Amino acid sequence: VQLVESGGGLVQPGGSLRLSCAASGLILDYYAIRWFRQTPGKEREAVSCIKNSDGTTYYSDSVKGRFTISWDSVKNTVYLQMNSLKAEDTAVYYCARGTQCTHPQILYDVWGQGTQVTVSS
């Protein structure tokens, strides 16, 4: 069972990136997949979540209206489209598997290795 993130990089403020969370060894349709981000010295922040089986989506206030989470069942991949990026979006982004988007972070049991997003001019 594995989650692998990709798509991070360096982007200027106002730019866009699309992160991918590809799953192997599990069918994402059965789970909630949440994106977290973390910067040094700060707590890990829940950014967005999707549970395809019941149509649940969630966005933190800090990204609402700028980020969009989506699902490709054929590719067994969850995406995070990030637009209008700001310097404060700079972080390592992780995807993780849980059973409900409302569950606390501790209940997410499979994590990817993370992908770095840097927003800077």
Side-chain angles (χ1 to χ4, degrees), residues 54-112:
D54 62 15
T56 300
T57 58
Y58 159 86
Y59 299 95
S60 68
D61 287 342
S62 60
V63 307
K64 199 173 295 182
R66 300 188 297 122
F67 290 11
T68 303
I69 194 168
S70 62
W71 191 290
D72 186 327
S73 296
V74 174
K75 295 183 178 180
N76 208 28
T77 298
V78 171
Y79 300 100
L80 186 68
Q81 178 67 43
M82 307 187 297
N83 299 330
S84 302
L85 282 163
K86 306 175 183 179
E88 51 262 44
D89 295 317
T90 296
V92 178
Y93 285 71
Y94 301 89
C95 62
R97 180 190 78 170
T99 56
Q100 298 291 341
C101 284
T102 54
H103 282 178
Q105 185 178 149
I106 194 171
L107 294 182
Y108 284 74
D109 62 347
V110 179
W111 291 75

